[in-house]
Each structure stands twice: as C-alpha cells, then as structure tokens.
Amino acid sequence: MPDKIEDLEIQLLLEALFQHYHYDFRHYARASIKRRLVQARDQLGFASISALQDRVLHDPDMLPRLLGYLTVQVSEMFRDPSYFRALREKVLPHLRTYPSLKVWIAGCSAGEELYSLAILLREEGLYERTLFYATDINPDALSAAEAGLYPLDRIRKFTENHQKSGGKSSLSDYYTAAYGRAVFDKSLRDRVVFSDHSLVTDAVFAEMHLISCRNVMIYFDRALQDRAIGLFRESLTRKGFLGLGSKESLRFSRHATGFADFVPEEKIYQRREP
Amino acid sequence: MTRTTIKAIAIGASAGAVQALQVILPRLPVGYPLPVLVVVHVPPDRSNVLLPLFQSKCRMRVKEAEDKEPMDGGVIYFAPSDYHMLVEADGALALSNDEPVNYSRPSIDVLFESAADAYGPALVGVILTGANNDGAAGLKAVTDAGGVAIVEDPAQAYASAMPDAALDAAATAKVMNLDAIASYLSSLGTAR
C-alpha cells in the first residue's frame, strides 16, 4: 500500500534529521508532520519523501528550507485577546509583587507573542524589571523575531486584537511603517534574550515567573508534551504561571497535579507544590 | 455498502451546514457505537455557537474536540473554530494551528485526509452542503484508502458547489439525500 511506504519514508526522514542535524521531530504529532512534509515535498519539487531526505542529507542548504515547513507558524499579535486581558487583570497583579521578573516565550516563532507581552508589560509599568527569554529551534524564526518586522497588512488585525485585550496605549506607538512593513521599536527588545532552545532535547535554563507557550505543544505527541510540561514546571518559580493555547490542556498530562487552574477558561495555570 | 466494520464517521459541511446537520445528527441514537467527527466552516471568532445547539438536539454526547483527546464511540466531536482537527494513527484527536487550507480553518480536507490515513477502509466520509470545494481532496483520500464516501445530492443541497466538487474528485461516492444519509449512518450503529 503506497500510504504505508510514505509512513516509512517519513519515519526515516525524521530519524535522518535527528541523527545528522540533531533536530528531533520524532515525537511530533504524526498527522500534522505528515501534512507538512507532503507539502514540503510537493512545493520543493521532489517526487518522494525519500528524495527529499536524500537532498537534505547531502545539501545543508536544504535544511533551513525544510525547517521552514516543519516549524514556522504564522501567529498574530495579541492572538486570543481574552488571554492577554486575563494576564493583565489576573496574573500581573501577582507578578507586580516581585522586584524582578523573568518571562519565557517558548517557541516564539516570528515574535508576535513576544512583542505582545513586551507591550503588555510596558503598559503595566513592569517592562523595566523584566527579562524576557524568547526561544525557538528555528534560527530563521529567531532572526525574524529579533528583527520585529511584520507586513503592514497584518497590523490592522494586531491593532484590533490589542484593543480587545484591554490595551492602554495605541499599537502605533510601538512601530514605524516603512516600505510596506511595520518595524517594531528596538526598545521592546532591549530586555530580550533570543536563544536557540529545544523543548525536546534541552533542559531548564532559568527560573521563570511566567511561561507562555501557546499552540506549540499541540504539535507534540503525548510523550513529548509530558516532557515539555515537566520542563516548564521545573523552570517555574514557586507559584509561577504557565499560559497555554486556548485549546490546549494539562488534563491529559501526567504533570496535571503539578499545576492548579488559575484562569481555566484562558488555560492559565499556576505551579502547585505537591 | 461494505463488509468492513466501520470504526468512525467524518462529516464536512459549510454553507447551510446547520440545517443539514439538524436532519442527520439528532437521528443518531443513544449508545451509537462510533465516534462522529464534524468539521463545519465557521468564522474564527464565532466559536462554540454550534455546540449548545446540537447538545440540545442530539441524543449522542456532543463536545468540542480537545488536543490529544482519545476518541470514544457514542460521541460527536466538533472541530473548534480556528483550528484544524486531525486524527492520529492511535485514534486520538489532534488540533493544529497550521495555515488555512482552501481558505478554511478548520478544513474538511485536513480532517478527512488524516482520518483516511488512520482508519483506511473503516471510515465513512460524508460531504454535505457548501459553497466552496473544501472536502473534495479529502473525500478522494477516503475512497483511495478503501473507505466509504457519501455526498449529499447536489440537486437538493442548500449549496451545491461542495457536493459537486466532492463528486468530481471521488467518482465512486454514493449520492444520497439528507434523510437517506441519516438512515444509513444510524444503521451502522445497529448492524453490528
């Protein structure tokens, strides 16, 4: 059956990426990874996944292009405005009590969520005492996040989301428009550490007060989700906060008891001691 | 229609979906042994309007799919708005935030192609009314994998474009009206 051959090819390609390049997608949710690989195969013009594997093993320039298919996600600033409103109204009052803060955007992709949080904390007067960590496995995504450039046609939606999130300033205060793009202000990233970090293979690197990791773990299988959630729990300070995507949940995780619901409808959790 | 034991039903609908699904889903009995997966095109911010409606009308349990949720028989799972819904090989549901397919998220093709992969001949795919061509490639994947393909009669559908496109892509699909589809799906629950 041709489908089964394709499944085998996918397994082999993922193994090759891991062994040769140390990118580990072996525990990504298979149905989505398959869609993305089939799309990469077709758009990059290969007859089969095996042919794609052959090229990526022998031509390192093919790796970033393939990573683009496997990792990059288009998000929005202030996506799910009610999440940011809940952070503003319910989480920040707790964070305000700390003299210094660490916030980790895990799987930051092109930076939309990072800038959203930076603006939120600036509006609430907490930016200057916060250190942000923006991590991703894709170097191109990290560069894009660091550049902070977005097509102007996306800004209308960002602005609308920002207003709905309870924004206290105008989004246009934070960017300048040039050549069809919005360039976000450098002062929003002077307290940001951009870093390569894998939720699959890397470890705890700092003690966080807030971790936001939204719509990243939906691409993981349950074993890998468990690993990442365990990593988040260890990374959080006592009573630190974890925010997930609106359709993600700790309910099926074996670390479920390590967290308490904080704002359940927004998937914001608080570290709980056993 | 087929001798293979059916293990899951996937349904896709767009314009006119609510009326069409109201003919079908409430007819499925309590204790229906199969999971029923439903993708309806709804605007991203209009979440969950379908759930209360169908919860009040259906005898089966109706819920929104959660990521990595193991699927159970007797439950109707709706894809959440603004997420694709997929089926994993182990029979769990998965959600994805990938870009829209056929301008749609959730997309019917994404559900049907992953479900065809997971269930092969044990899947029934149903394309109902709609004004675009999402689901056509998905229904072809269902038939290619040996599954059962059903399309609402375009002549009777509220919007015929989606059933027409599905029939063009999957020529062996059976054409039925909504009442016949409801009877057929119900029968899958009893003839076991």
Side-chain angles (χ1 to χ4, degrees):
Chain A
M1 228 174 119
D3 272 5
K4 298 299 164 195
I5 291 175
E6 201 166 81
D7 291 342
L8 175 60
E9 289 178 288
I10 288 169
Q11 197 175 326
L12 294 172
L13 170 61
L14 299 183
E15 195 61 40
L17 284 176
F18 175 63
Q19 295 206 10
H20 191 61
Y21 292 111
H22 309 292
Y23 278 102
D24 193 352
F25 296 101
R26 296 174 301 170
H27 285 281
Y28 273 47
R30 203 46 74 86
S32 280
I33 241 350
K34 180 169 184 174
R35 278 200 76 82
R36 288 170 165 215
L37 283 174
V38 165
Q39 194 183 20
R41 178 196 68 196
D42 294 348
Q43 292 182 2
L44 296 172
F46 291 98
S48 67
I49 304 277
S50 302
L52 172 60
Q53 176 189 320
D54 182 55
R55 172 72 81 80
V56 78
L57 279 177
H58 295 285
D59 175 5
D61 292 342
M62 185 52 73
L63 179 67
R65 300 180 67 184
L66 182 56
L67 283 183
Y69 285 95
L70 291 177
T71 64
V72 163
Q73 283 211 65
V74 174
S75 185
E76 292 164 6
M77 285 179 67
F78 296 95
R79 180 179 175 173
D80 304 319
S82 54
Y83 171 79
F84 290 93
R85 184 180 283 276
L87 288 180
R88 186 191 300 275
E89 293 173 356
K90 301 191 170 140
V91 174
L92 294 194
H94 290 261
L95 297 188
R96 208 177 276 292
T97 62
Y98 294 93
S100 70
L101 293 170
K102 286 182 176 157
V103 173
W104 179 14
I105 299 92
C108 68
S109 201
E112 292 90 340
E113 176 118 344
L114 165 67
Y115 289 102
S116 308
L117 286 168
I119 289 167
L120 172 63
L121 269 76
R122 172 160 292 178
E123 285 178 341
E124 296 297 327
L126 296 172
Y127 180 85
E128 296 303 329
R129 67 170 101 156
T130 304
L131 189 55
F132 296 86
Y133 296 90
T135 64
D136 205 280
I137 57 169
N138 184 335
D140 291 341
L142 282 172
S143 308
E146 196 157 3
L149 293 173
Y150 303 98
L152 269 181
D153 58 14
R154 298 180 60 202
I155 294 293
R156 185 210 293 236
K157 181 70 178 167
F158 293 2
T159 302
E160 185 187 318
N161 287 348
H162 175 237
Q163 288 308 312
K164 285 188 192 159
S165 80
K168 291 178 174 172
S169 54
S170 164
L171 194 67
S172 59
D173 297 345
Y174 303 100
Y175 65 83
T176 47
Y179 306 108
R181 295 189 296 188
V183 188
F184 277 78
D185 201 285
K186 274 206 281 286
S187 70
L188 289 173
R189 52 183 174 267
D190 58 8
R191 302 193 54 80
V192 182
V193 177
F194 294 91
S195 174
D196 170 34
H197 181 276
S198 163
L199 298 172
V200 186
T201 50
D202 292 333
V204 174
F205 58 92
E207 194 173 275
M208 306 293 169
H209 299 84
L210 167 65
I211 298 173
S212 196
C213 182
R214 300 201 308 143
N215 297 320
V216 174
M217 288 190 294
I218 50 176
Y219 293 101
F220 295 175
D221 71 13
R222 280 172 81 171
L224 184 50
Q225 286 186 349
D226 272 337
R227 183 194 194 274
I229 294 165
L231 181 64
F232 291 150
R233 189 176 181 285
E234 281 180 57
S235 300
L236 282 172
T237 187
R238 207 180 136 77
K239 301 207 167 192
F241 297 93
L242 172 66
L244 303 180
S246 63
K247 302 301 170 192
E248 296 179 293
S249 150
L250 295 181
R251 200 151 68 83
F252 304 112
S253 164
R254 66 188 170 87
H255 297 288
T257 54
F259 292 89
D261 284 334
F262 190 73
V263 187
E265 63 279 16
E266 298 302 335
K267 305 298 164 74
I268 298 173
Y269 299 89
Q270 187 172 36
R271 179 181 156 134
R272 171 161 72 187
E273 306 314 315
Chain B
M1 215 170 247
T2 173
R3 293 284 152 212
T4 309
T5 305
I6 297 300
K7 293 189 180 142
I9 314 287
I11 301 176
S14 189
V18 172
Q19 289 76 6
L21 288 170
Q22 284 190 77
V23 177
I24 296 174
L25 298 180
R27 290 263 300 271
L28 302 176
V30 177
Y32 192 71
L34 309 174
V36 179
L37 312 173
V38 184
V39 165
V40 177
H41 293 157
V42 286
D45 46 355
R46 204 88 57 79
S47 57
N48 299 338
V49 287
L50 296 172
L51 281 188
L53 174 69
F54 285 99
Q55 277 162 344
S56 70
K57 290 185 182 284
C58 289
R59 289 175 282 174
M60 286 176 73
R61 187 169 165 235
V62 176
K63 77 183 293 292
E64 188 174 81
E66 291 178 79
D67 184 49
K68 305 295 159 351
E69 175 173 16
M71 249 185 287
D72 285 326
V75 183
I76 299 171
Y77 298 92
F78 277 83
S81 65
D82 215 19
Y83 285 82
H84 294 301
M85 174 168 73
L86 301 93
V87 178
E88 290 288 345
D90 65 1
L93 291 166
L95 302 179
S96 121
N97 206 17
D98 281 356
E99 54 271 44
V101 172
N102 306 313
Y103 308 100
S104 306
R105 188 168 68 193
S107 148
I108 301 164
D109 279 349
V110 172
L111 170 65
F112 278 33
E113 287 170 7
S114 65
D117 248 12
Y119 287 111
L123 177 72
V124 176
V126 183
I127 296 294
L128 303 176
T129 170
N132 54 45
N133 64 2
D134 190 24
L139 198 68
K140 179 170 188 307
V142 172
T143 55
D144 285 352
V148 179
I150 295 172
V151 175
E152 182 183 0
D153 183 354
Q156 298 184 39
Y158 173 85
S160 61
M162 205 161 86
D164 277 334
L167 285 171
D168 283 348
T172 58
K174 309 278 186 249
V175 178
M176 299 183 185
N177 65 24
L178 292 174
D179 191 56
I181 294 171
S183 300
Y184 169 68
L185 295 182
S186 302
S187 76
L188 292 174
T190 51
R192 289 156 67 93

